[in-house]
Amino acid sequence: MADNATETTLSTFLGQQTIKMLIGGEWVEAASGRTFDTINPSTGQVLAKVAEGDAADIDRAVAAARGAFEHGPWTRLTPSQRGRLLWKIADLIEQHAEELAKLETLDNGKPIKYSRAVDVPLTADHFRYFAGWATKLEGETIPVSIPNMFTYTLREPVGVVGQIIPWNFPLQMAAWKLAPALACGNTVILKPAEQTPLTALRLGELICEAGFPEGVVNIIPGFGETAGAALAAHPGVDKIAFTGSTEVGKRIVRASADNLKKLTLELGGKSPNIIFPDADLKFAVRGAMNAIFFNQGQVCTAGSRLFVHASMYDQVLGGLTDLARKMSLGLGIDPATDIGPLISQEQLERVMNYIDIGKREGASPTTGGERANGDLAQGYFVRPTVFDHVADEMTIAREEIFGPVVVVMPFEEVEEVAARANQSIYGLAAAVWTNDVKKVHKMVAALKAGVVWVNTYNQFDAAAPFGGYKQSGYGREMGHAALDTYTQTKTAWINLR
Ligand code: NDP
């Protein structure tokens, strides 16, 4: 879209008196009539008023999704038609790329250069990848050992799916949830995070424009304790897919027990990032910086525990400290910004509290450890922080901080570092920097994590499965692994006698 058209569409969207919710193909107010403000975290200013969904709206959305699943035109579409609709969403995202990038940055605070280069293109790519799967959901013929039986399997959609997503990658998280669910023929109720509802709602408009039948995608902005909890407990929902904190993940498990919903959970992490002495040092230090500071450290896979071989500890600590100092803190919308604000006042307080605990427990920051002041004092900015003198037992080395804070710790031996890296309730991701092929394979096998990166960090692709070990969750997103979580297998026995 041309610049002017982008600005016009953006200001029309943000200028609505209330940004409404999507239920059964209609844009509607909350049943209660209530709204909530969404804030620009770079400035602390209100961006827009959004309809505040709660249990009554979830009821309406579940009825619409159930109707579309059981009786609507959706189930009569051919797989090819479903795939084309998903492909069309990707086309529309690309047509509106600049507008979506700006909206994401305004609502979330993330640097615009990343919204443009990462969030929006990967979102479009996700829909394209799963568009291809719609025509490839094959069953099997089974060579059973009972005479005259012809036995085969069908892969059928799970049904009505509730999807609850966080605020750190609002558009990408919506795509990770919607694309596989729709490719498999389910209908969906999506609840975006209260801090960042805007791009999911704009995506909803594009989904309507693409021609999805009514009720297939319903989007209910609102709060976790009301809308989210009602969705997780609703007897008319067959499955919940959740990304967020481990604490809320456990609440979802409990809430979903009554009707035994299928669950996929992508939860927290405290990922180890390990630099061996034979690594390419400059490359590894830069990798360590990106591993923790990308997206202000608000990444479930953030490389927040950096283990460095004792022989090069000072060099790595010094190099990382220098890089962190040089990062440019600024408004998300400024193209020169490397680090934007945290998402909210609450997250700012949470991260600053961890920094204080770290200092009290005896760790010392080599850089950062404080809020940004001056022009940035209105937003929720924390300077990139590198902690030295950290012990494994300290709170900041164990708990997920979800901010631009890394702890650096020395190690001596391969076995020792593998054991320490695994000493966590989490197991989402891990990384290793080395040029020794034997060490690579030993560490990949030893690390208890759903993803291991070698000489790289934070690589994601729609085709590569992603998810956690231990309390980082269960089920996998992306790749064909995601299809298993959005389909169920039916076995048919035909007596040929
Ligand atoms: P939450 O886990 O609370 O939020 C994730 C989503 O769950 C949001 O949509 C939220 O709604 C919703 N939710 C909250 N409570 C319930 C509930 N009882 N039932 C159903 N849904 C619910 O994360 P926070 O935003 O509170 O962040 C706190 C911490 O969680 C972070 O500091 C970080 O450590 C971790 N986190 C991890 C993420 C990850 O990707 N692994 C992502 C986000 C956070 P609402 O936004 O309205 O509260």
Side-chain angles (χ1 to χ4, degrees):
M1 276 177 100
D3 278 0
N4 284 346
T6 297
E7 292 308 326
T8 309
T9 330
L10 195 55
S11 59
T12 308
F13 182 73
L14 289 174
Q16 298 174 76
Q17 201 172 14
T18 303
I19 300 183
K20 297 182 177 136
M21 59 182 80
L22 176 62
I23 300 180
E26 304 285 329
W27 290 94
V28 296
E29 306 269 2
S32 67
R34 279 203 300 269
T35 61
F36 66 101
D37 293 338
T38 184
I39 308 284
N40 178 345
S42 291
T43 61
Q45 306 285 310
V46 175
L47 263 176
K49 280 198 180 311
V50 179
E52 183 192 323
D54 62 19
D57 305 293
I58 293 291
D59 275 345
R60 293 196 285 168
V62 172
R66 178 59 63 192
F69 184 74
E70 304 293 348
H71 315 294
W74 178 237
T75 42
R76 293 191 293 277
L77 293 186
T78 64
S80 168
Q81 287 170 319
R82 269 204 326 271
R84 279 162 199 262
L85 283 173
L86 283 164
W87 194 272
K88 186 78 199 284
I89 302 178
D91 287 345
L92 287 167
I93 289 169
E94 281 171 354
Q95 276 170 36
H96 293 269
E98 179 61 12
E99 177 203 334
L100 288 166
K102 283 196 169 143
L103 197 57
E104 192 77 323
T105 284
L106 289 171
D107 209 14
N108 170 281
K110 64 177 67 198
I112 186 75
K113 66 179 173 193
Y114 295 124
S115 297
R116 284 180 181 140
V118 179
D119 296 77
V120 173
L122 290 189
T123 298
D125 205 43
H126 217 81
F127 282 104
R128 287 237 161 79
Y129 174 81
F130 282 102
W133 273 115
T135 47
K136 296 164 195 69
L137 299 169
E138 296 169 351
E140 293 172 320
T141 53
I142 316 288
V144 295
S145 300
I146 302 172
N148 296 312
M149 288 291 164
F150 172 50
T151 306
Y152 63 90
T153 60
L154 296 171
R155 293 185 84 168
E156 297 187 331
V158 173
V160 173
V161 178
Q163 305 187 315
I164 301 174
I165 56 173
W167 40 259
N168 53 345
F169 293 92
L171 200 50
Q172 282 197 76
M173 290 299 110
W176 286 22
K177 297 284 179 282
L178 291 170
L182 297 172
C184 295
N186 299 282
T187 58
V188 172
I189 299 115
L190 178 77
K191 194 206 85 67
E194 77 195 54
Q195 298 86 348
T196 54
L198 296 183
T199 44
L201 290 163
R202 183 70 185 108
L203 180 64
E205 293 183 349
L206 299 180
I207 287 171
C208 295
E209 191 179 331
F212 273 78
E214 62 190 42
V216 174
V217 176
N218 305 275
I219 305 181
I220 311 292
F223 295 98
E225 302 74 37
T226 48
L231 189 55
H234 203 290
V237 172
D238 301 304
K239 174 195 159 94
I240 293 283
F242 171 77
T243 298
S245 59
T246 293
E247 187 194 335
V248 173
K250 289 177 185 176
R251 258 182 255 161
I252 302 247
V253 172
R254 290 183 205 109
S256 64
D258 261 0
N259 69 332
L260 291 178
K261 292 181 182 68
K262 318 271 181 291
L263 288 182
T264 41
L265 302 171
E266 200 265 276
L267 309 174
K270 189 76 183 174
S271 299
N273 189 15
I274 305 167
I275 305 183
F276 284 101
D278 52 29
D280 174 340
L281 202 60
K282 214 171 146 194
F283 190 54
V285 173
R286 187 156 282 281
M289 172 190 77
N290 290 327
I292 182 62
F293 298 131
F294 174 59
N295 215 43
Q296 298 68 248
Q298 301 170 133
V299 183
C300 49
T301 54
S304 51
R305 283 189 294 154
L306 181 62
F307 291 97
V308 182
H309 192 265
S311 63
M312 60 210 292
Y313 183 82
D314 290 341
Q315 265 171 291
V316 170
L317 184 68
L320 182 61
T321 302
D322 273 358
L323 288 177
R325 278 196 194 121
K326 285 183 192 141
M327 293 186 91
S328 146
L329 238 71
L331 303 187
I333 209 74
D334 179 346
T337 294
D338 297 320
I339 292 224
L342 298 183
I343 188 68
S344 62
Q345 178 68 29
E346 190 186 344
Q347 194 65 11
L348 173 75
E349 286 166 12
R350 197 184 136 94
V351 171
M352 287 312 297
N353 185 42
Y354 273 116
I355 290 175
D356 289 344
I357 293 174
K359 291 176 184 168
R360 279 206 303 277
E361 290 185 359
S364 44
T366 58
T367 185
E370 58 185 11
R371 290 188 64 171
N373 34 33
D375 289 351
L376 300 179
Q378 298 304 311
Y380 313 125
F381 292 87
V382 171
R383 294 203 176 280
T385 301
V386 178
F387 266 110
D388 188 15
H389 303 118
V390 180
D392 291 3
E393 306 69 44
M394 287 182 183
T395 310
I396 54 170
R398 288 185 294 106
E399 296 188 9
E400 181 175 50
I401 298 176
F402 228 62
V405 181
V406 62
V407 299
V408 191
M409 296 177 287
F411 72 90
E412 300 275 355
E413 303 294 338
V414 176
E415 290 72 21
E416 170 215 332
V417 75
R420 287 170 65 196
N422 286 335
Q423 225 171 62
S424 171
I425 60 163
Y426 299 114
L428 193 56
V432 175
W433 301 79
T434 175
N435 285 314
D436 174 349
V437 73
K438 288 186 196 157
K439 228 175 264 161
V440 166
H441 291 292
K442 270 189 193 155
M443 290 302 291
V444 168
L447 289 166
K448 295 189 192 327
V451 181
V452 181
W453 290 295
V454 178
N455 297 330
T456 187
Y457 208 97
N458 273 340
Q459 299 292 346
F460 293 92
D461 187 285
F466 176 72
Y469 280 23
K470 300 192 265 182
Q471 292 191 35
S472 291
Y474 43 75
R476 292 290 176 269
E477 300 192 283
M478 305 204 268
H480 57 77
L483 305 171
D484 295 338
T485 74
Y486 283 104
T487 53
Q488 45 196 352
T489 300
K490 178 180 279 173
T491 308
W493 292 77
I494 318 293
N495 188 346
L496 299 178
R497 195 187 306 249

